[in-house]
């Protein structure tokens, strides 16, 4: 069980893996319908704000998400962080974001996610939490009793890779490397040059970036490429970032979306990350086309009021099992703000609802 929980918690972008590898066993545990909404709920016509508001109302006990395996619910710190980033990107649901951040700082929650820092320490999780604390304007050096930048830097190897220290194996990958570069870039010390070099040198010959390092064949992955592009753009590697953007453009589906590695159908998670990278990287044509795909996957006024604003994982329709994960990452694309500059400053406290015209009264 510890290995499974590592896999669920440490994936920097957990939605893609969970939607493809464990569709039945693992699902976000949503709040009951009668759970209190975060702050008040004002109507909005902005797709990102409506998606963020819906996501806030799915938080369990108003402050976190859970995943279920074999009938048992486990705290899902990774998805909770995804939601915190989504709230900042949508410039709303700040009350929910504050509660979620406080939950993440609880000793049993942060320890279970990051490891104890000695025998167990997880690079991807540390990078992702560091970024969330920075976005929230917190103190990364003293969050939940952990100095997050120092912990992350301690996991950098001589070659520049951020790796796990664990008896359960090393789950580090390009997601964690990119998030580490972005998060450390936001610190006074900046991102280590060796770490940036390692990421840049992992680029495939065709311009994409692989999910896993050290494979015999270098195969580009849309999610990994989208994050790597943002990390390299933030740290001054414009040529590498532009080549990655070119790879994304070349691998965009006809419907405007992007597919997970090994798949062909567009999904909201990959499309959300790719859209964020394209729009923030100045590729407005393909970026807006991808943005339009996300809007088509969003549940509008014709949907059940309980899911309005949510984003479906794919064209098969909304699925409560992966809806929160799909929506969280879709928001990043709908907003288009890069992770390197994302901030919760000025976010509205309420969790908006999808604005819909009134239903005509019947005689």
């Amino acid at each position: 069980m510890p290995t499974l929980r590592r896999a669920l918690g440490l994936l920097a972008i957990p939605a893609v893996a969970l939607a493809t590898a464990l569709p039945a066993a693992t699902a976000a545990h949503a709040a009951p319908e009668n759970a209190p909404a975060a702050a008040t709920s004002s109507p909005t016509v902005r797709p990102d704000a409506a998606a963020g508001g819906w996501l806030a109302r799915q938080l369990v006990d108003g402050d976190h998400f859970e995943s279920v395996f074999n009938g048992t619910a486990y705290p899902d710190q990774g998805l909770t962080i995804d939601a915190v980033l989504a709230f900042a990107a949508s410039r709303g649901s700040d009350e929910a974001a504050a509660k979620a951040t406080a939950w993440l700082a609880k000793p049993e929650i942060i320890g279970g996610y990051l490891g104890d820092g000695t025998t167990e320490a997880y690079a991807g999780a540390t990078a992702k939490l560091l970024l969330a604390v920075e976005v929230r304007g917190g103190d990364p050096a003293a969050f939940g009793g952990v100095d997050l930048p120092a912990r992350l830097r301690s996991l950098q190897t001589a070659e520049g890779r951020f790796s796990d220290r664990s008896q359960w194996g090393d789950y580090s990958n390009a997601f964690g490397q990119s998030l580490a570069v972005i998060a450390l870039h936001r610190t006074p010390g900046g991102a280590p040059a060796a770490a940036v070099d390692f990421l840049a040198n992992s680029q495939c010959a065709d311009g994409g970036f692989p999910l896993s390092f050290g494979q015999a064949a270098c195969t580009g992955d849309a999610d990994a490429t989208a994050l790597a592009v943002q990390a390299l753009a933030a740290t001054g590697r414009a040529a590498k970032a532009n080549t990655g953007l070119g790879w994304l453009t070349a691998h965009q589906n006809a419907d405007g979306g992007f597919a997970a590695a090994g798949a062909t159908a567009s999904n909201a998670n990959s499309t959300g990350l790719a859209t964020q990278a394209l729009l923030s990287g100045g590729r407005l044509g393909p970026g807006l086309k991808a943005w339009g795909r996300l809007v088509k996957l969003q549940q509008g006024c014709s949907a059940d009021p309980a899911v309005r604003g949510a984003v479906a994982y794919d064209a098969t329709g909304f699925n409560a099992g992966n809806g929160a994960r799909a929506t969280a990452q879709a928001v990043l694309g709908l907003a288009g703000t890069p992770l390197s500059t994302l901030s919760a400053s000025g976010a509205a406290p309420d969790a908006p609802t999808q604005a819909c015209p009134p239903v005509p009264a019947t005689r």
Side-chain angles (χ1 to χ4, degrees):
M1 196 62 220
T3 301
L4 172 68
R5 295 185 67 182
R6 282 287 314 288
L8 298 185
L10 298 186
L11 283 175
I13 306 300
V16 173
L18 291 173
T20 57
L22 296 173
T26 309
H29 205 139
E33 292 184 2
N34 59 354
T40 57
S41 298
S42 57
T44 181
V45 296
R46 282 180 30 223
D48 61 331
W54 177 85
L55 189 64
R57 288 185 289 277
Q58 310 315 302
L59 290 163
V60 177
D61 297 332
D63 62 7
H64 72 283
F65 281 100
E66 295 175 345
S67 287
V68 179
F69 182 76
N70 281 349
T72 301
Y74 298 93
D76 193 330
Q77 295 95 325
L79 178 54
T80 303
I81 294 174
D82 284 340
V84 168
L85 298 177
F87 298 149
S90 66
R91 303 190 301 282
S93 304
D94 197 58
E95 182 176 299
K99 291 178 179 178
T101 305
W103 177 82
L104 288 164
K106 293 181 178 180
E108 68 276 18
I109 300 301
I110 192 172
Y113 187 53
L114 302 184
D116 59 18
T118 53
T119 58
E120 297 289 322
Y122 316 136
T126 306
K128 190 173 182 180
L129 182 57
L130 170 58
L131 177 61
V133 175
E134 292 169 336
V135 168
R136 291 291 305 157
D139 182 0
F143 184 78
V146 179
D147 186 334
L148 294 173
R151 173 80 65 89
L152 183 56
R153 291 179 190 276
S154 75
L155 296 175
Q156 183 185 326
T157 65
E159 61 180 347
R161 176 178 177 174
F162 292 95
S163 296
D164 297 340
R165 184 166 59 242
S166 173
Q167 63 179 316
W168 307 109
D170 186 358
Y171 286 78
S172 63
N173 56 27
F175 293 162
Q177 186 76 18
S178 295
L179 290 173
V181 167
I182 293 170
L184 289 175
H185 172 70
R186 296 175 60 131
T187 67
V196 181
D197 287 341
F198 183 89
L199 179 62
N201 292 336
S202 73
Q203 190 170 32
C204 302
D206 64 359
F209 286 83
L211 170 59
S212 300
F213 299 126
Q215 301 299 303
C218 191
T219 302
D221 174 89
D223 301 69
T225 300
L227 285 177
V229 160
Q230 294 191 61
L232 294 171
T235 52
R237 305 299 178 90
K240 289 281 189 178
N242 285 333
T243 304
L245 288 170
W247 184 93
L248 285 173
T249 300
H251 287 78
Q252 187 170 26
N253 286 339
D255 64 8
F258 290 81
T264 57
S266 299
N267 71 77
N269 301 92
S270 299
T271 303
L273 293 176
T275 304
Q276 182 185 37
L278 290 167
L279 291 178
S280 63
R283 302 294 179 101
L284 298 186
L288 290 174
K289 184 177 180 181
W291 187 90
R293 182 59 190 165
L294 292 173
V295 171
K296 288 182 179 179
L297 290 173
Q298 188 166 31
Q299 307 304 290
C301 294
S302 63
D304 184 324
V307 300
R308 289 175 184 170
V311 179
Y313 176 75
D314 58 25
T316 62
F318 182 76
N319 181 335
N322 56 25
R325 298 182 187 279
T327 301
Q329 289 183 338
V331 169
L332 299 180
L334 290 170
T337 306
L339 294 175
S340 60
T341 60
L342 186 61
S343 172
S345 178
D350 72 314
T353 57
Q354 177 71 53
C356 293
V359 178
T362 57
R363 292 181 178 271

